[in-house]
Amino acid sequence: MNIGTAAERSGLPAKTLRYYETIDLVQPLRADNGYRDYSEDDLHCLKFVGRARSLGFSIEECRVLLSLYRDQNRSSGEVKSLALHKVTEIEKKIGQLQDMKKMLSKLAGECHGDNRPDCPILDEIAGEQA
Amino acid sequence: MNIGTAAERSGLPAKTLRYYETIDLVQPLRADNGYRDYSEDDLHCLKFVGRARSLGFSIEECRVLLSLYRDQNRSSGEVKSLALHKVTEIEKKIGQLQDMKKMLSKLAGECHGDNRPDCPILDEIAGEQA
DNA sequence: ATAAGGCTTCCAGTTAGGGGAAGGTCAAGG
DNA sequence: CCTTGACCTTCCCCTAACTGGAAGCCTTAT
């Protein structure tokens, strides 16, 4: 199938499909006219990658997952370990964001937020109290 | 002071200070020998930016915050609104990460994680059950 | 005098594509 | 048969916020 159809059916932009080809992630064949010709199997891989990306895996991680997926002899332990590692990464990121949020909420709570120029948020960012 | 000292005192890499100069964020004077010469005021701005960055503000947001900080006539309402907007952005991001984590944990929990090739994680990413 | 270290600029690379130009191809309609 | 519009191709530049490295000047100490 042409790239437009593959894009629609995979839910990914055509630009992304071309990009995935340049980085050797999903390589469609070419038709006689030079158009990319995606097979059902290619489409399957595209969906797989799209889903893994939405779960927070990087392209390089997707490459590993894809090769594990294709390898009938892989051990599920490998995959599980990758998934759990990603979970701890995500937890760490969540923690950082929660810290930011907490501090920002606190600062906003201390700021009267009116037309007066006095602003505890800027003061604290500036570190005048630190 | 030279860039090395400013870097150390601000807690930011020298490379970052040079970068901030190229994007007109913090512009030090130059000494006769061509070296950047950071004033105490410049240093203050660098620290301010570093702190705002660590709170999740983008460079462009830092630029705004900095101009608000320098503007003695600004209203604290403007700043508070920026801060609250950032809080909702952060909350959204946290939500997304929590969704990812939930799904990944569920998948990992369903995977026995041994040497057998059968792997529910890959199966579900592949969408065989979808 | 020379060596070490700090400073300068510039170039290239990072992630994961997005925007858009210039041009080839295909299918339908007149 | 020709044209039009949609679709496809490659190519190059752009994003954020730096980071790394090379080549070369400046300063300081020995």
Side-chain angles (χ1 to χ4, degrees):
Chain A
M1 80 195 75
N2 282 351
I3 196 171
T5 311
E8 193 181 355
R9 289 185 58 194
S10 67
L12 299 170
K15 274 279 189 186
T16 299
L17 269 53
R18 292 196 189 94
Y19 174 65
Y20 285 174
E21 188 193 34
T22 70
I23 62 170
D24 293 333
L25 189 60
V26 178
Q27 299 264 36
L29 294 175
R30 294 294 179 126
D32 290 345
N33 58 11
Y35 285 17
R36 288 169 184 81
D37 184 14
Y38 288 87
S39 67
E40 287 298 325
D41 198 50
D42 292 331
L43 187 65
H44 206 78
C45 289
L46 289 174
K47 288 182 184 171
F48 182 98
V49 170
R51 181 125 174 77
R53 293 282 299 126
S54 81
L55 285 172
F57 289 100
S58 71
I59 293 288
E60 289 315 306
E61 287 166 334
C62 288
R63 200 188 294 281
V64 174
L65 287 172
L66 211 47
S67 80
L68 288 172
Y69 178 59
R70 287 173 174 141
D71 175 8
Q72 290 305 316
N73 296 318
R74 93 254 159 165
S75 72
S76 64
E78 256 179 290
V79 184
K80 182 166 184 171
S81 145
L82 247 165
L84 288 177
H85 177 67
K86 184 51 72 177
V87 167
T88 68
E89 271 182 27
I90 291 175
E91 278 170 349
K92 195 170 151 193
K93 187 76 190 163
I94 289 177
Q96 288 170 355
L97 288 174
Q98 278 169 343
D99 287 348
M100 287 181 202
K101 182 191 157 185
K102 199 163 149 187
M103 179 59 84
L104 271 179
S105 304
K106 173 175 163 293
L107 293 182
E110 286 165 4
C111 179
H112 38 74
D114 56 18
N115 286 325
R116 282 173 293 170
D118 176 46
C119 178
I121 298 177
L122 292 180
D123 291 346
E124 181 140 346
I125 292 180
E128 291 179 7
Q129 338 193 356
Chain B
M1 79 195 77
N2 281 350
I3 196 170
T5 312
E8 193 181 355
R9 289 185 58 193
S10 67
L12 299 169
K15 276 275 188 187
T16 298
L17 269 53
R18 292 195 190 95
Y19 173 64
Y20 286 174
E21 189 194 33
T22 70
I23 62 171
D24 292 333
L25 189 60
V26 178
Q27 299 264 35
L29 294 175
R30 294 294 178 127
D32 291 345
N33 58 11
Y35 285 17
R36 288 169 183 81
D37 184 13
Y38 288 86
S39 68
E40 287 299 325
D41 198 50
D42 291 332
L43 187 64
H44 206 76
C45 289
L46 289 174
K47 287 182 185 171
F48 182 97
V49 170
R51 182 123 172 78
R53 292 282 299 127
S54 80
L55 285 172
F57 289 100
S58 72
I59 294 287
E60 290 315 305
E61 287 165 334
C62 288
R63 201 188 294 282
V64 173
L65 286 172
L66 211 48
S67 80
L68 288 172
Y69 178 59
R70 286 172 174 141
D71 175 8
Q72 290 307 315
N73 296 319
R74 91 257 159 166
S75 72
S76 64
E78 256 179 291
V79 184
K80 182 166 183 172
S81 144
L82 246 166
L84 289 177
H85 177 68
K86 185 50 74 176
V87 167
T88 69
E89 271 182 27
I90 291 175
E91 278 169 349
K92 195 170 151 194
K93 187 76 190 163
I94 290 176
Q96 288 170 355
L97 289 174
Q98 277 169 343
D99 287 348
M100 286 182 203
K101 182 191 157 186
K102 199 164 148 186
M103 179 60 83
L104 270 180
S105 303
K106 173 175 163 294
L107 293 182
E110 285 165 4
C111 178
H112 38 73
D114 56 19
N115 286 326
R116 281 173 295 170
D118 176 46
C119 180
I121 299 177
L122 292 180
D123 290 346
E124 180 140 347
I125 292 179
E128 291 178 6
Q129 337 192 358

